[in-house]
Protein backbone atom coordinates (compact mmCIF):
# COMPACT_ATOMS: atom_id res chain seq x y z
CA UNK A 1 0.00 0.00 0.00
CA UNK A 2 1.32 3.44 -0.91
CA UNK A 3 0.38 6.47 1.12
CA UNK A 4 1.06 10.03 0.03
CA UNK A 5 0.98 13.08 2.24
CA UNK A 6 -0.57 15.97 0.39
CA UNK A 7 -1.32 19.61 1.05
CA UNK A 8 -4.55 20.36 2.81
CA UNK A 9 -6.81 23.36 2.70
CA UNK A 10 -6.61 23.76 6.46
CA UNK A 11 -3.04 24.82 7.00
CA UNK A 12 0.51 24.93 5.67
CA UNK A 13 1.84 22.20 3.45
CA UNK A 14 2.52 18.78 4.82
CA UNK A 15 3.35 17.85 1.28
CA UNK A 16 6.30 15.50 1.68
CA UNK A 17 5.55 12.42 -0.38
CA UNK A 18 5.97 9.12 1.42
CA UNK A 19 7.58 6.93 -1.20
CA UNK A 20 8.82 3.40 -0.84
CA UNK A 21 6.20 2.61 1.81
CA UNK A 22 4.84 -0.37 -0.08
CA UNK A 23 6.03 -3.47 1.75
CA UNK A 24 7.10 -1.53 4.82
CA UNK A 25 3.59 -1.09 6.18
CA UNK A 26 2.49 -4.44 7.58
CA UNK A 27 -1.00 -5.84 7.15
CA UNK A 28 -3.38 -6.36 4.27
CA UNK A 29 -7.15 -6.69 3.97
CA UNK A 30 -8.92 -5.03 6.96
CA UNK A 31 -5.64 -3.57 8.21
CA UNK A 32 -5.02 -1.79 4.90
CA UNK A 33 -8.61 -0.53 4.86
CA UNK A 34 -8.29 0.96 8.34
CA UNK A 35 -4.97 2.55 7.41
CA UNK A 36 -6.58 4.17 4.36
CA UNK A 37 -9.49 5.54 6.40
CA UNK A 38 -7.12 6.85 9.06
CA UNK A 39 -5.01 8.60 6.46
CA UNK A 40 -8.08 10.19 4.89
CA UNK A 41 -9.07 11.49 8.33
CA UNK A 42 -5.62 12.98 8.74
CA UNK A 43 -5.69 14.55 5.28
CA UNK A 44 -9.03 16.21 6.00
CA UNK A 45 -7.80 17.72 9.26
CA UNK A 46 -4.13 18.39 8.57
CA UNK A 47 -1.72 19.08 11.38
CA UNK A 48 -3.38 20.34 14.60
CA UNK A 49 -3.35 24.11 15.07
CA UNK A 50 -4.25 26.74 17.64
CA UNK A 51 -7.89 26.98 16.53
CA UNK A 52 -8.42 23.47 17.93
CA UNK A 53 -9.02 23.92 21.65
CA UNK A 54 -6.97 20.90 22.74
CA UNK A 55 -4.04 22.15 20.66
CA UNK A 56 -4.32 25.90 21.19
CA UNK A 57 -0.93 26.11 22.96
CA UNK A 58 0.85 23.65 20.64
CA UNK A 59 0.28 24.71 17.05
CA UNK A 60 2.02 22.02 15.01
CA UNK A 61 1.51 23.97 11.79
CA UNK A 62 3.93 26.52 13.25
CA UNK A 63 6.12 24.33 15.45
CA UNK A 64 6.38 21.27 13.20
CA UNK A 65 5.22 22.66 9.85
CA UNK A 66 5.49 19.39 7.92
CA UNK A 67 5.74 15.65 8.29
CA UNK A 68 9.14 14.28 7.33
CA UNK A 69 9.75 11.27 5.05
CA UNK A 70 9.85 7.84 6.64
CA UNK A 71 13.17 6.70 8.04
CA UNK A 72 14.76 3.90 5.98
CA UNK A 73 15.41 0.50 7.48
CA UNK A 74 18.55 0.85 9.61
CA UNK A 75 21.72 -0.60 8.11
CA UNK A 76 24.66 -2.16 9.95
CA UNK A 77 26.27 1.20 10.73
CA UNK A 78 22.99 2.62 12.05
CA UNK A 79 22.46 -0.43 14.26
CA UNK A 80 25.95 -0.04 15.69
CA UNK A 81 25.19 3.58 16.62
CA UNK A 82 21.83 2.49 18.03
CA UNK A 83 23.53 -0.11 20.20
CA UNK A 84 25.76 2.57 21.74
CA UNK A 85 22.71 4.77 22.44
CA UNK A 86 20.83 1.87 24.04
CA UNK A 87 23.78 1.10 26.32
CA UNK A 88 23.72 4.70 27.58
CA UNK A 89 19.96 4.76 28.09
CA UNK A 90 19.57 1.27 29.55
CA UNK A 91 18.25 0.80 33.07
CA UNK A 92 20.35 -1.73 34.94
CA UNK A 93 18.45 -4.96 35.43
CA UNK A 94 15.59 -4.04 33.08
CA UNK A 95 14.57 -6.22 30.16
CA UNK A 96 15.00 -4.11 27.02
CA UNK A 97 12.75 -4.07 23.97
CA UNK A 98 14.39 -1.87 21.34
CA UNK A 99 12.81 -0.08 18.39
CA UNK A 100 15.29 1.51 15.98
CA UNK A 101 13.81 4.08 13.59
CA UNK A 102 10.40 2.55 14.25
CA UNK A 103 11.40 -1.11 13.72
CA UNK A 104 11.75 -3.77 16.41
CA UNK A 105 15.37 -4.90 16.70
CA UNK A 106 15.66 -8.36 18.31
CA UNK A 107 19.48 -8.35 18.44
CA UNK A 108 19.37 -5.39 20.86
CA UNK A 109 16.43 -6.72 22.90
CA UNK A 110 16.09 -9.05 25.90
CA UNK A 111 12.89 -11.00 25.26
CA UNK A 112 14.22 -14.20 26.84
CA UNK A 113 14.82 -12.40 30.14
CA UNK A 114 11.13 -11.65 30.73
CA UNK A 115 10.34 -15.10 32.10
CA UNK A 116 7.12 -17.07 32.37
CA UNK A 117 3.75 -15.39 32.17
CA UNK A 118 4.94 -12.74 29.69
CA UNK A 119 4.36 -12.98 25.95
CA UNK A 120 5.99 -10.45 23.61
CA UNK A 121 5.26 -10.19 19.91
CA UNK A 122 5.98 -7.49 17.39
CA UNK A 123 3.11 -5.40 16.10
CA UNK A 124 4.23 -6.19 12.55
CA UNK A 125 3.90 -9.91 13.28
CA UNK A 126 0.38 -9.51 14.66
CA UNK A 127 -0.83 -7.24 11.84
CA UNK A 128 0.50 -9.63 9.20
CA UNK A 129 -1.16 -12.71 10.70
CA UNK A 130 -4.24 -13.49 8.55
CA UNK A 131 -5.52 -15.94 11.18
CA UNK A 132 -6.07 -13.02 13.57
CA UNK A 133 -9.41 -11.67 12.40
CA UNK A 134 -9.30 -8.77 14.85
CA UNK A 135 -5.83 -7.58 13.88
CA UNK A 136 -7.20 -4.42 12.29
CA UNK A 137 -8.64 -3.38 15.65
CA UNK A 138 -5.08 -2.73 16.83
CA UNK A 139 -5.12 0.43 14.74
CA UNK A 140 -8.32 1.74 16.36
CA UNK A 141 -8.60 3.85 19.53
CA UNK A 142 -11.59 5.21 21.43
CA UNK A 143 -10.23 8.75 21.15
CA UNK A 144 -8.60 10.13 18.06
CA UNK A 145 -7.22 13.31 16.52
CA UNK A 146 -5.09 14.10 13.48
CA UNK A 147 -1.77 12.87 14.91
CA UNK A 148 -3.38 9.68 16.23
CA UNK A 149 -4.93 9.07 12.82
CA UNK A 150 -1.56 9.64 11.17
CA UNK A 151 -0.02 7.13 13.56
CA UNK A 152 -2.66 4.52 12.66
CA UNK A 153 -2.07 5.10 8.96
CA UNK A 154 1.72 5.01 9.01
CA UNK A 155 2.74 2.78 11.93
CA UNK A 156 5.45 0.31 11.01
CA UNK A 157 6.06 -1.65 14.19
CA UNK A 158 5.86 -1.82 17.96
CA UNK A 159 5.54 -4.45 20.65
CA UNK A 160 2.48 -6.34 21.90
CA UNK A 161 3.04 -7.43 25.51
CA UNK A 162 0.60 -9.75 27.28
CA UNK A 163 1.06 -10.61 30.97
CA UNK A 164 -1.06 -13.47 32.31
CA UNK A 165 -3.15 -13.34 35.50
CA UNK A 166 -1.24 -13.26 38.76
CA UNK A 167 2.19 -12.70 37.23
CA UNK A 168 4.62 -10.57 39.22
CA UNK A 169 7.41 -9.25 37.01
CA UNK A 170 10.76 -9.48 38.76
CA UNK A 171 12.32 -6.80 36.57
CA UNK A 172 11.07 -3.71 34.74
CA UNK A 173 10.44 -3.73 30.99
CA UNK A 174 12.15 -0.88 29.16
CA UNK A 175 10.97 -0.02 25.65
CA UNK A 176 13.78 2.01 24.08
CA UNK A 177 13.04 4.11 20.99
CA UNK A 178 16.23 5.05 19.15
CA UNK A 179 16.43 7.48 16.24
CA UNK A 180 19.46 7.05 13.96
CA UNK A 181 18.39 8.99 10.84
CA UNK A 182 18.32 12.76 10.51
CA UNK A 183 15.36 14.60 8.98
CA UNK A 184 13.17 11.49 9.00
CA UNK A 185 10.10 10.27 10.87
CA UNK A 186 9.12 7.08 12.66
CA UNK A 187 5.70 5.77 13.69
CA UNK A 188 5.34 3.16 16.43
CA UNK A 189 2.43 1.66 18.36
CA UNK A 190 2.60 -0.74 21.30
CA UNK A 191 0.11 -2.68 23.41
CA UNK A 192 0.33 -3.70 27.03
CA UNK A 193 -2.29 -6.09 28.38
CA UNK A 194 -2.08 -6.93 32.08
CA UNK A 195 -4.21 -9.73 33.48
CA UNK A 196 -5.82 -9.81 36.91
CA UNK A 197 -3.49 -9.27 39.84
CA UNK A 198 -0.42 -8.55 37.70
CA UNK A 199 2.36 -6.38 39.11
CA UNK A 200 4.60 -4.76 36.53
CA UNK A 201 6.74 -1.73 35.72
CA UNK A 202 7.22 -0.46 32.16
CA UNK A 203 9.46 2.41 31.02
CA UNK A 204 9.45 4.06 27.61
CA UNK A 205 12.66 5.90 26.73
CA UNK A 206 13.21 8.11 23.67
CA UNK A 207 16.84 8.77 22.71
CA UNK A 208 18.99 9.57 19.68
CA UNK A 209 22.00 7.77 18.28
CA UNK A 210 25.08 9.80 17.53
CA UNK A 211 24.54 11.99 14.48
CA UNK A 212 20.72 11.85 14.43
CA UNK A 213 19.26 15.33 14.08
CA UNK A 214 15.91 17.01 13.41
CA UNK A 215 13.90 13.78 13.38
CA UNK A 216 10.24 13.21 14.27
CA UNK A 217 8.73 10.45 16.43
CA UNK A 218 5.00 9.64 16.59
CA UNK A 219 4.26 6.96 19.17
CA UNK A 220 1.06 5.47 20.63
CA UNK A 221 0.66 3.06 23.54
CA UNK A 222 -2.58 1.27 24.41
CA UNK A 223 -2.73 -0.18 27.93
CA UNK A 224 -5.30 -2.47 29.55
CA UNK A 225 -4.86 -2.93 33.31
CA UNK A 226 -6.78 -5.91 34.68
CA UNK A 227 -8.68 -6.05 37.96
CA UNK A 228 -6.48 -5.72 41.06
CA UNK A 229 -3.38 -5.26 38.89
CA UNK A 230 -0.66 -2.75 39.74
CA UNK A 231 1.27 -0.95 36.99
CA UNK A 232 4.00 1.67 37.09
CA UNK A 233 4.37 3.26 33.65
CA UNK A 234 7.15 5.79 33.01
CA UNK A 235 7.66 7.85 29.86
CA UNK A 236 10.98 9.70 29.51
CA UNK A 237 11.64 11.96 26.51
CA UNK A 238 15.37 12.66 26.17
CA UNK A 239 15.43 13.27 22.41
CA UNK A 240 18.01 15.29 20.52
CA UNK A 241 17.59 19.05 21.01
CA UNK A 242 16.04 19.66 17.57
CA UNK A 243 13.72 16.62 17.47
CA UNK A 244 9.91 16.46 17.57
CA UNK A 245 8.09 13.87 19.68
CA UNK A 246 4.33 13.31 19.74
CA UNK A 247 3.30 10.52 22.13
CA UNK A 248 -0.22 9.33 22.94
CA UNK A 249 -1.20 6.85 25.66
CA UNK A 250 -4.60 5.23 26.14
CA UNK A 251 -5.36 3.39 29.37
CA UNK A 252 -8.35 1.40 30.66
CA UNK A 253 -8.06 0.77 34.40
CA UNK A 254 -9.93 -2.21 35.87
CA UNK A 255 -11.60 -2.68 39.27
CA UNK A 256 -9.35 -2.15 42.30
CA UNK A 257 -6.40 -1.69 39.94
CA UNK A 258 -3.62 0.82 40.56
CA UNK A 259 -1.74 2.84 37.98
CA UNK A 260 1.21 5.10 38.72
CA UNK A 261 1.93 7.10 35.55
CA UNK A 262 4.96 9.37 35.23
CA UNK A 263 6.11 11.53 32.32
CA UNK A 264 9.29 13.58 31.97
CA UNK A 265 10.18 15.84 29.04
CA UNK A 266 13.82 16.89 29.19
CA UNK A 267 14.82 16.78 25.52
CA UNK A 268 13.62 17.61 22.04
CA UNK A 269 12.58 20.88 20.45
CA UNK A 270 8.83 20.11 20.40
CA UNK A 271 7.27 17.42 22.59
CA UNK A 272 3.67 16.57 23.38
CA UNK A 273 2.56 13.81 25.70
CA UNK A 274 -1.18 13.25 25.65
CA UNK A 275 -2.86 10.74 27.92
CA UNK A 276 -6.43 9.43 27.77
CA UNK A 277 -7.14 7.39 30.89
CA UNK A 278 -10.50 5.82 31.68
CA UNK A 279 -11.31 4.33 35.07
CA UNK A 280 -13.67 1.53 34.04
CA UNK A 281 -13.63 -0.60 37.21
CA UNK A 282 -14.85 0.43 40.66
CA UNK A 283 -12.29 1.06 43.37
CA UNK A 284 -9.42 1.84 40.99
CA UNK A 285 -6.71 4.35 41.91
CA UNK A 286 -4.77 6.54 39.51
CA UNK A 287 -1.68 8.64 40.23
CA UNK A 288 -0.26 10.79 37.42
CA UNK A 289 2.91 12.80 37.94
CA UNK A 290 5.02 14.71 35.48
CA UNK A 291 7.98 17.03 35.06
CA UNK A 292 8.88 19.35 32.18
CA UNK A 293 12.51 20.54 32.15
CA UNK A 294 12.82 23.05 29.34
CA UNK A 295 15.45 25.53 28.18
CA UNK A 296 16.54 27.42 25.06
CA UNK A 297 13.39 27.40 22.84
CA UNK A 298 12.07 24.00 23.87
CA UNK A 299 8.31 23.46 23.81
CA UNK A 300 6.89 20.78 26.10
CA UNK A 301 3.16 19.96 26.31
CA UNK A 302 1.53 17.52 28.74
CA UNK A 303 -2.20 17.07 28.09
CA UNK A 304 -4.25 14.63 30.19
CA UNK A 305 -7.89 13.56 30.05
CA UNK A 306 -8.99 11.51 33.07
CA UNK A 307 -12.42 9.91 32.64
CA UNK A 308 -14.14 8.66 35.81
CA UNK A 309 -16.72 6.31 34.33
CA UNK A 310 -17.68 4.34 37.46
CA UNK A 311 -18.11 5.03 41.22
CA UNK A 312 -15.58 4.88 44.06
CA UNK A 313 -12.42 5.75 42.15
CA UNK A 314 -9.62 8.18 42.94
CA UNK A 315 -7.25 10.15 40.72
CA UNK A 316 -4.35 12.45 41.53
CA UNK A 317 -2.43 14.63 39.07
CA UNK A 318 0.74 16.38 40.17
CA UNK A 319 2.74 18.29 37.56
CA UNK A 320 5.90 20.41 37.78
CA UNK A 321 7.53 22.55 35.08
CA UNK A 322 10.91 24.27 35.16
CA UNK A 323 11.37 26.66 32.24
CA UNK A 324 14.51 28.62 31.37
CA UNK A 325 15.54 30.93 28.52
CA UNK A 326 12.66 31.11 25.98
CA UNK A 327 11.17 27.72 26.76
CA UNK A 328 7.42 27.13 26.77
CA UNK A 329 5.69 24.61 29.03
CA UNK A 330 2.04 23.56 28.64
CA UNK A 331 -0.11 21.56 31.03
CA UNK A 332 -3.74 20.77 30.25
CA UNK A 333 -5.55 18.57 32.74
CA UNK A 334 -9.18 17.59 32.14
CA UNK A 335 -11.11 15.51 34.68
CA UNK A 336 -14.49 14.12 33.59
CA UNK A 337 -16.88 12.62 36.15
CA UNK A 338 -19.73 10.66 34.53
CA UNK A 339 -23.28 10.66 36.01
CA UNK A 340 -22.86 7.18 37.53
CA UNK A 341 -19.41 7.91 38.98
CA UNK A 342 -20.57 8.83 42.49
CA UNK A 343 -18.01 8.98 45.32
CA UNK A 344 -15.30 10.05 42.87
CA UNK A 345 -12.25 11.72 44.40
CA UNK A 346 -10.25 13.56 41.73
CA UNK A 347 -7.68 16.29 42.20
CA UNK A 348 -4.95 17.95 40.18
CA UNK A 349 -2.21 20.45 40.95
CA UNK A 350 0.25 22.06 38.55
CA UNK A 351 3.15 24.34 39.43
CA UNK A 352 5.57 26.11 37.09
CA UNK A 353 8.93 27.63 37.92
CA UNK A 354 10.15 30.32 35.49
CA UNK A 355 13.90 30.96 35.47
CA UNK A 356 13.97 33.82 32.96
CA UNK A 357 11.83 36.77 31.95
CA UNK A 358 11.13 35.20 28.55
CA UNK A 359 10.14 31.76 29.85
CA UNK A 360 6.46 30.87 29.48
CA UNK A 361 4.08 28.42 31.14
CA UNK A 362 0.43 27.83 30.25
CA UNK A 363 -1.60 25.84 32.78
CA UNK A 364 -5.17 24.86 32.01
CA UNK A 365 -6.91 22.65 34.61
CA UNK A 366 -10.54 21.69 33.87
CA UNK A 367 -13.29 19.84 35.73
CA UNK A 368 -16.37 18.46 33.98
CA UNK A 369 -18.66 16.95 36.62
CA UNK A 370 -22.00 15.25 35.98
CA UNK A 371 -22.37 13.57 39.40
CA UNK A 372 -23.33 15.26 42.67
CA UNK A 373 -21.58 13.17 45.36
CA UNK A 374 -17.93 13.80 44.49
CA UNK A 375 -14.79 15.43 45.85
CA UNK A 376 -12.88 17.21 43.10
CA UNK A 377 -10.51 20.14 42.95
CA UNK A 378 -7.66 21.73 41.03
CA UNK A 379 -5.00 24.39 41.42
CA UNK A 380 -2.24 26.08 39.44
CA UNK A 381 0.66 28.35 40.39
CA UNK A 382 3.48 30.03 38.47
CA UNK A 383 6.45 31.85 39.96
CA UNK A 384 10.21 32.37 40.15
CA UNK A 385 12.86 30.99 42.47
CA UNK A 386 12.64 32.27 46.03
CA UNK A 387 15.23 35.04 46.26
CA UNK A 388 15.57 34.67 50.04
CA UNK A 389 16.43 30.98 49.70
CA UNK A 390 18.91 31.77 46.92
CA UNK A 391 20.53 34.39 49.12
CA UNK A 392 20.70 31.92 52.02
CA UNK A 393 22.48 29.31 49.89
CA UNK A 394 24.84 31.78 48.24
CA UNK A 395 25.72 33.29 51.62
CA UNK A 396 27.03 29.84 52.54
CA UNK A 397 29.40 29.79 49.59
CA UNK A 398 27.40 28.07 46.87
CA UNK A 399 27.75 29.48 43.32
CA UNK A 400 24.52 30.86 41.86
CA UNK A 401 23.94 28.02 39.38
CA UNK A 402 24.58 25.38 42.04
CA UNK A 403 22.21 27.11 44.44
CA UNK A 404 19.56 27.26 41.73
CA UNK A 405 20.08 23.58 40.96
CA UNK A 406 19.42 22.61 44.58
CA UNK A 407 16.18 24.59 44.63
CA UNK A 408 15.10 23.15 41.27
CA UNK A 409 15.76 19.61 42.50
CA UNK A 410 13.60 20.27 45.56
CA UNK A 411 10.85 21.76 43.39
CA UNK A 412 10.56 18.73 41.08
CA UNK A 413 11.29 16.25 43.86
CA UNK A 414 7.68 15.78 44.93
CA UNK A 415 6.68 14.55 41.47
CA UNK A 416 9.75 12.33 41.07
CA UNK A 417 9.34 10.82 44.55
CA UNK A 418 6.01 9.38 43.38
CA UNK A 419 8.08 6.68 41.62
CA UNK A 420 8.17 3.94 44.23
CA UNK A 421 10.71 1.71 42.48
CA UNK A 422 14.16 2.88 43.66
CA UNK A 423 15.87 1.79 40.47
CA UNK A 424 13.45 3.68 38.21
CA UNK A 425 13.43 6.74 40.44
CA UNK A 426 17.23 6.95 40.26
CA UNK A 427 17.02 6.67 36.48
CA UNK A 428 14.72 9.70 36.33
CA UNK A 429 16.82 11.66 38.82
CA UNK A 430 19.89 11.04 36.65
CA UNK A 431 18.04 12.42 33.61
CA UNK A 432 17.09 15.54 35.58
CA UNK A 433 20.68 15.98 36.76
CA UNK A 434 21.94 15.79 33.17
CA UNK A 435 19.51 18.57 32.23
CA UNK A 436 20.76 20.70 35.10
CA UNK A 437 24.39 20.10 34.09
CA UNK A 438 23.64 21.04 30.48
CA UNK A 439 22.02 24.24 31.73
CA UNK A 440 25.40 25.19 33.17
Amino acid sequence: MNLVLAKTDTGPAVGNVFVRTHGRLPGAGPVADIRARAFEAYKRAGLPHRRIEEWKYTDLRVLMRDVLPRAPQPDTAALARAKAAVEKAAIEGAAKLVLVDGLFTPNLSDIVQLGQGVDVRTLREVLENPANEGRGDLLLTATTDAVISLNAAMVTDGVVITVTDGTVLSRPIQIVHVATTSSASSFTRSYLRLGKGVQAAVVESFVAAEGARAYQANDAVIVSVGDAANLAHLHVVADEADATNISSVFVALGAKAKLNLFNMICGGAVSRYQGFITLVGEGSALSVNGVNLLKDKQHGDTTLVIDHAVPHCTSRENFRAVVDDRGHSVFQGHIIVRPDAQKTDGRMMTRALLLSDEAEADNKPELEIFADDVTCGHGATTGALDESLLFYLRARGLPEKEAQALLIQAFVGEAIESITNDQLREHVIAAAERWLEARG
Side-chain angles (χ1 to χ4, degrees), residues 274-342:
Q274 52 182 14
F276 306 92
I277 304 154
T278 304
L279 291 79
V280 297
E282 290 193 33
S284 58
L286 169 67
S287 174
V288 186
N289 294 269
V291 174
N292 277 359
L293 298 174
L294 308 174
K295 58 185 177 65
D296 301 324
K297 295 182 180 180
Q298 286 181 291
H299 181 102
D301 179 341
T302 298
T303 294
L304 302 170
V305 179
I306 312 300
D307 190 344
H308 285 264
V310 296
H312 302 286
C313 296
T314 64
S315 65
R316 296 289 184 271
E317 297 173 64
N318 180 28
F319 182 76
R320 299 287 185 271
V322 180
V323 193
D324 201 0
D325 305 318
R326 297 176 63 186
H328 183 190
S329 177
V330 177
F331 174 80
Q332 299 181 105
H334 186 184
I335 295 177
I336 304 169
V337 182
R338 302 294 177 182
D340 292 335
Q342 304 293 345

Side-chain angles (χ1 to χ4, degrees), residues 239-432:
D239 283 307
E240 193 61 33
D242 53 2
T244 297
N245 186 307
I246 309 296
S247 296
S248 306
V249 60
F250 308 85
V251 183
L253 196 57
K256 298 182 180 179
K258 295 181 180 179
L259 172 63
N260 189 343
L261 195 64
F262 180 88
N263 174 60
M264 172 181 278
I265 296 174
C266 57
V270 178
S271 301
R272 175 170 166 118
Y273 175 80
Q274 52 182 14
F276 306 92
I277 304 154
T278 304
L279 291 79
V280 297
E282 290 193 33
S284 58
L286 169 67
S287 174
V288 186
N289 294 269
V291 174
N292 277 359
L293 298 174
L294 308 174
K295 58 185 177 65
D296 301 324
K297 295 182 180 180
Q298 286 181 291
H299 181 102
D301 179 341
T302 298
T303 294
L304 302 170
V305 179
I306 312 300
D307 190 344
H308 285 264
V310 296
H312 302 286
C313 296
T314 64
S315 65
R316 296 289 184 271
E317 297 173 64
N318 180 28
F319 182 76
R320 299 287 185 271
V322 180
V323 193
D324 201 0
D325 305 318
R326 297 176 63 186
H328 183 190
S329 177
V330 177
F331 174 80
Q332 299 181 105
H334 186 184
I335 295 177
I336 304 169
V337 182
R338 302 294 177 182
D340 292 335
Q342 304 293 345
K343 302 296 183 180
T344 287
D345 185 352
R347 305 179 190 190
M348 76 176 97
M349 185 68 197
T350 173
R351 293 187 172 97
L353 183 62
L354 305 183
L355 303 180
S356 78
D357 293 338
E358 294 184 284
E360 184 178 357
D362 287 300
N363 297 318
K364 184 187 173 188
E366 294 181 90
L367 299 176
E368 191 175 358
I369 301 173
F370 301 99
D372 53 14
D373 188 5
V374 302
T375 301
C376 292
H378 64 75
T381 65
T382 302
L385 286 172
D386 190 315
E387 291 294 336
S388 63
L389 290 177
L390 272 177
F391 177 80
Y392 176 85
L393 293 172
R394 296 199 66 192
R396 277 147 184 80
L398 287 179
E400 183 176 6
K401 288 291 185 181
E402 189 172 339
Q404 289 180 354
L406 284 175
L407 295 179
I408 292 169
Q409 287 174 325
F411 177 75
V412 301
E414 183 181 352
I416 294 176
E417 288 299 318
S418 68
I419 304 171
T420 57
N421 183 298
D422 293 342
Q423 188 179 14
L424 302 185
R425 186 171 60 252
E426 290 302 317
H427 177 73
V428 170
I429 290 173

Side-chain angles (χ1 to χ4, degrees), residues 9-283:
D9 296 327
T10 56
V14 293
N16 288 318
V17 178
F18 278 79
V19 295
R20 298 182 299 275
T21 56
H22 181 72
R24 293 187 57 199
L25 296 177
V31 175
D33 293 341
I34 291 172
R35 286 187 185 276
R37 291 198 298 270
F39 183 73
E40 286 302 317
Y42 168 74
K43 266 206 316 187
R44 287 193 299 270
L47 287 172
H49 50 83
R50 61 186 175 85
R51 292 189 296 276
I52 300 173
E53 183 64 24
E54 295 81 5
W55 291 84
K56 65 182 295 184
Y57 302 114
T58 302
D59 188 338
L60 291 188
R61 294 188 183 180
V62 174
L63 295 169
M64 184 173 161
R65 300 188 64 84
D66 209 346
V67 179
L68 295 173
R70 292 291 302 272
Q73 184 165 341
D75 57 18
T76 302
L79 290 175
R81 291 187 290 114
K83 181 179 180 180
V86 170
E87 289 174 350
K88 291 181 180 179
I91 300 172
E92 184 177 357
K96 301 184 298 298
L97 303 174
V98 180
L99 295 158
V100 179
D101 292 332
L103 296 172
F104 182 72
T105 308
N107 291 341
L108 300 180
S109 300
D110 305 321
I111 293 181
V112 295
Q113 296 183 14
L114 290 171
Q116 295 183 346
V118 183
D119 178 72
V120 177
R121 303 185 184 189
T122 68
L123 181 65
R124 172 179 285 273
E125 173 190 355
V126 176
L127 291 178
E128 290 181 336
N129 181 8
N132 182 358
E133 295 182 358
R135 63 193 185 280
D137 295 342
L138 296 177
L139 301 182
L140 301 175
T141 53
T143 302
T144 191
D145 61 18
V147 295
I148 297 169
S149 294
L150 185 61
N151 178 279
M154 302 301 297
V155 62
T156 302
D157 212 348
V159 291
V160 179
I161 304 171
T162 303
V163 186
T164 58
D165 293 354
T167 301
V168 178
L169 270 66
S170 60
R171 61 178 64 200
I173 297 174
Q174 185 182 17
I175 304 172
V176 186
H177 300 257
V178 186
T180 70
T181 305
S182 297
S183 302
S185 64
S186 64
F187 297 84
T188 50
R189 178 173 290 216
S190 295
Y191 288 79
L192 178 60
R193 298 164 177 162
L194 303 186
K196 296 179 180 179
V198 168
Q199 296 185 38
V202 177
V203 182
E204 273 203 286
S205 304
F206 292 83
V207 296
E210 183 179 0
R213 299 287 185 274
Y215 56 86
Q216 296 173 353
N218 184 326
D219 178 60
V221 178
I222 294 87
V223 183
S224 174
V225 184
D227 295 348
N230 191 332
L231 172 65
H233 187 272
L234 281 67
H235 185 270
V236 181
V237 176
D239 283 307
E240 193 61 33
D242 53 2
T244 297
N245 186 307
I246 309 296
S247 296
S248 306
V249 60
F250 308 85
V251 183
L253 196 57
K256 298 182 180 179
K258 295 181 180 179
L259 172 63
N260 189 343
L261 195 64
F262 180 88
N263 174 60
M264 172 181 278
I265 296 174
C266 57
V270 178
S271 301
R272 175 170 166 118
Y273 175 80
Q274 52 182 14
F276 306 92
I277 304 154
T278 304
L279 291 79
V280 297
E282 290 193 33

